[in-house]
Amino acid sequence: MGHVSKERGAGRGLSRREFLKRAATASTVAAASPYIIPASALGADGTTAPSNRIVMGCIGVGSQGTSNLKWFLGNNDTQFVAVCDVDGTHRERAQQIVNETYGNTDCKGYNDFRELLERDDLDALSIAVPDHWHAIPAIAGAKKGLDMYAEKPLSLTIPDGIAMVEAVEGAKVVWQTGSWQRSNSHFREACEIVRSGRIGEVHTVEVGLPTGSPIEAQPPMPIPEGFDYEMWLGPAPEAPYTEKRCHWNFRWILDYSGGQLTDWGAHHCDIANWGMDTEDTGPISVEGVGNFPREGLWNTATDYQITARYGKGQSSVSPNGFTMKVANTATYPMGAKFIGEKGWVFVTRGDRKKNLQTYPESLKDTAIGDNDVKLYRSPDHARNFLDCVKSRKETITPIRVAHRAISIAHLGNISMRLGRAIEWDPVKQRLVNDPAAERFFDRAKRGPWRL
Amino acid sequence: MKRLTLLLAAVLMAGCATKAPRETAAGETAVAVDVDYATPVQAIAGYEFGQPREPLTLVEDIVRDALHDPAHTRAAEAALLELLDHPSATHAAKLFACRQLAFVGGSDTVDALAPWLESEATSDAARLALERIPGEDVDKVLLKALKEADDSSQIGIINSLGVRRAACAEKTLDELSRSINPAIAGAAADALAKIRG
């Protein structure tokens, strides 16, 4: 296939990672040879030689996972060899996409991610599974020494996230979270304006996220042919199959996710942290109020308002502390708005002209100079991951950053479900003297699953 | 939502009498509370998945509201434990009760759910509650159940001991880490790693 084992390769004795790193920076030398070697094997004509490609597997190829797969396939230095999904329809579709790309039938399909991880030819994984499944394959991948691009929100619970960070950082593998907004330049520009002090001390950040939706009660249904529902449930509590429970809609059920608050909080709370320089800390108190559907299958909050307070010295942009307010679009427009003493900056998705707004307006085109804060530049989120696999540098959304962003949303959900404010120690990452809130902090996993 | 909750609570309170003191498993005398936990909890005994969820949501509300006061927490716990013994309580209702006992369960819950740990059909449900209840009594119950539990349930119990960092289980887990059953050996090794830090 073109995978270079740890024993072979351009440098005998080099590890696979070292080989990829050197190949990324080495110039191409055409060797004199009596054999005819296809140009693609030598990396000519814009292709990358198979031995220089990052060998990847996918765990989870539903809608987001397939989108990510196609994104990666658009880079000529990847080689997908395996896809895994508990839904046979998704799995076969992904295999077909890979095989059509390469013009062969080499891509292997797996139902069980553990079997995929037994392969010894992988360099990296693309993971896109429901939130309740985020931790287990990520930790397993780290133990195998595999670099990973994995979807947001990072985790289902804060303890899951802490374990994931420990595993990934301990294994020193490259991690990119699917919080791709950072790789859109106008989000970076917005944060540079804030971090460079152009709006003065920031006292409030307003984060707008989508409103959730309820659904009526859903009857148990026969499990579709080829869908390993028992594996899909995995560590989550037993529940009968019904169509609106699974695939995209797991997001609206607390057993598997945290609703719009976590699904989109992973994006815009991350931008809020980036702008406020709070990527390695967290709030000291959180108070949430919300409406949870009283009926029907979906039970995550539809309307919600979370107030997260940060103390003195936690943010370089707010020496006196600040408040992050996260709410659905009944309260704030989608995006992040940084409000300071001297103005404000608002940023959301879409074209820069309309979706990066400042007051005063002139701030928008302010030049970020050598004495200002210049943030990480990434031209493309998948490309950034691949480049970092080769360079072994940190990506633009490393795991610890994703963990802190989603912790805000997790604390918001705990506060809402408890019906009152909670205090948080962002250094120890523990609730402060709150036995009742502790009961909501984590949840037992169904056997045999564990971190 | 709040208005409906208050209305329903008012209806329940209007029809209730102060509960007589009751002795708990810990030998304490339960303090009477002025909220009827039993009626809404018993009302969900026949719940099946796919049915209207409002009666369950009402129980979630009163469990949440019970957390503000230890006497109310004990009363809510008692009502949920009575549901587990209800002769016609469905599996779905009992599973829901276990999930709520994760928030209000105490020593009475530990005693009631200990036998549930031994069987594959009920072990995971029991751990939903037990894993969240603080205190060494839970660790001891989990450890004791290991001896009687079927293989499938053993792995879940071992996992919970690891999550809880149950020091009292170290010796047993060390032995189990050498089990000829690789799944049990692996679970025990992982749990030991958590306990030993």
Side-chain angles (χ1 to χ4, degrees), chain A residues 203-207 268-274 276 278 283 285-287 306-310 322-327 332 338 405 408:
Chain A
H203 51 77
T204 307
V205 184
E206 294 173 351
V207 175
H268 290 307
C269 288
D270 177 56
I271 296 302
N273 272 351
W274 206 21
M276 294 306 294
T278 47
S285 74
V286 175
E287 183 167 10
I306 313 296
T307 302
R309 292 193 172 80
Y310 289 71
F322 72 98
T323 301
M324 187 185 299
K325 297 182 179 181
V326 183
Y332 301 131
F338 304 86
I408 300 166

Side-chain angles (χ1 to χ4, degrees), chain A residues 65-129:
Chain A
T66 300
S67 176
N68 294 351
L69 169 64
K70 289 178 180 174
W71 198 6
F72 277 114
L73 283 171
N75 290 272
N76 65 10
D77 55 347
T78 59
Q79 187 78 36
F80 278 85
V81 297
V83 296
C84 174
D85 203 288
V86 298
D87 186 325
T89 307
H90 292 175
R91 186 170 64 240
E92 286 160 16
R93 178 184 67 197
Q95 275 181 282
Q96 188 177 359
I97 290 169
V98 172
N99 289 337
E100 282 175 0
T101 300
Y102 300 132
N104 59 34
T105 55
D106 292 349
C107 181
K108 192 160 160 65
Y110 297 87
N111 180 69
D112 189 329
F113 72 94
R114 294 170 294 184
E115 292 177 15
L116 180 148
L117 290 177
E118 283 173 0
R119 296 177 70 113
D120 64 0
D121 60 346
L122 295 172
D123 297 315
L125 300 170
S126 172
I127 303 176
V129 293

Side-chain angles (χ1 to χ4, degrees), chain A residues 155-201:
Chain A
S155 57
L156 181 64
T157 66
I158 292 175
D160 275 7
I162 290 171
M164 292 167 78
V165 172
E166 278 177 18
V168 165
E169 292 189 345
K172 294 184 170 40
V173 296
V174 170
W175 176 280
Q176 178 81 300
T177 320
S179 318
W180 55 263
Q181 289 178 170
R182 287 195 179 207
S183 295
N184 272 191
S185 59
H186 69 287
F187 280 100
R188 174 182 49 73
E189 289 176 64
C191 292
E192 285 177 340
I193 292 170
V194 176
R195 294 274 291 263
S196 299
R198 298 285 202 272
I199 58 172
E201 178 163 355

Side-chain angles (χ1 to χ4, degrees), chain A residues 6-321:
Chain A
K6 288 181 183 177
E7 291 71 44
R8 296 190 291 112
R12 186 173 293 278
L14 285 177
S15 73
R16 171 73 179 152
R17 282 184 189 162
E18 187 62 26
F19 173 73
L20 284 172
K21 189 175 177 181
R22 292 191 185 190
T25 52
S27 55
T28 305
V29 177
S33 165
Y35 304 106
I36 296 172
I37 300 172
S40 63
L42 289 173
D45 299 332
T47 63
T48 302
S51 60
N52 292 350
R53 294 179 199 164
I54 298 165
V55 181
M56 292 187 70
C58 277
I59 300 176
V61 281
S63 58
Q64 188 64 53
T66 300
S67 176
N68 294 351
L69 169 64
K70 289 178 180 174
W71 198 6
F72 277 114
L73 283 171
N75 290 272
N76 65 10
D77 55 347
T78 59
Q79 187 78 36
F80 278 85
V81 297
V83 296
C84 174
D85 203 288
V86 298
D87 186 325
T89 307
H90 292 175
R91 186 170 64 240
E92 286 160 16
R93 178 184 67 197
Q95 275 181 282
Q96 188 177 359
I97 290 169
V98 172
N99 289 337
E100 282 175 0
T101 300
Y102 300 132
N104 59 34
T105 55
D106 292 349
C107 181
K108 192 160 160 65
Y110 297 87
N111 180 69
D112 189 329
F113 72 94
R114 294 170 294 184
E115 292 177 15
L116 180 148
L117 290 177
E118 283 173 0
R119 296 177 70 113
D120 64 0
D121 60 346
L122 295 172
D123 297 315
L125 300 170
S126 172
I127 303 176
V129 293
D131 302 359
H132 68 289
W133 263 115
H134 278 195
I136 293 172
I139 292 171
K143 285 180 180 170
K144 286 281 293 187
L146 297 172
D147 299 328
M148 288 171 277
Y149 181 104
E151 269 304 320
K152 37 58 66 183
L154 183 75
S155 57
L156 181 64
T157 66
I158 292 175
D160 275 7
I162 290 171
M164 292 167 78
V165 172
E166 278 177 18
V168 165
E169 292 189 345
K172 294 184 170 40
V173 296
V174 170
W175 176 280
Q176 178 81 300
T177 320
S179 318
W180 55 263
Q181 289 178 170
R182 287 195 179 207
S183 295
N184 272 191
S185 59
H186 69 287
F187 280 100
R188 174 182 49 73
E189 289 176 64
C191 292
E192 285 177 340
I193 292 170
V194 176
R195 294 274 291 263
S196 299
R198 298 285 202 272
I199 58 172
E201 178 163 355
V202 174
H203 51 77
T204 307
V205 184
E206 294 173 351
V207 175
L209 307 176
T211 302
S213 298
I215 195 172
E216 57 273 12
Q218 301 292 304
M221 296 175 182
I223 300 169
E225 183 84 25
F227 181 36
D228 187 348
Y229 176 63
E230 177 63 19
M231 188 71 168
W232 185 92
L233 269 183
E238 63 171 282
Y241 171 78
T242 191
E243 186 191 351
K244 297 295 185 186
R245 182 186 301 285
C246 300
H247 296 334
W248 190 266
N249 295 308
F250 71 82
R251 290 163 169 77
W252 325 128
I253 301 173
L254 287 169
D255 277 352
Y256 322 121
S257 185
Q260 295 283 11
L261 174 57
T262 54
D263 196 46
W264 276 85
H267 284 305
H268 290 307
C269 288
D270 177 56
I271 296 302
N273 272 351
W274 206 21
M276 294 306 294
D277 192 17
T278 47
E279 299 166 278
D280 290 308
T281 185
I284 55 176
S285 74
V286 175
E287 183 167 10
V289 291
N291 284 334
F292 291 83
R294 299 189 64 78
E295 260 298 359
L297 177 67
W298 297 347
N299 60 0
T300 58
T302 51
D303 296 289
Y304 44 91
Q305 292 187 31
I306 313 296
T307 302
R309 292 193 172 80
Y310 289 71
K312 291 184 178 182
Q314 284 189 273
S315 162
S316 62
V317 185
S318 292
N320 291 306

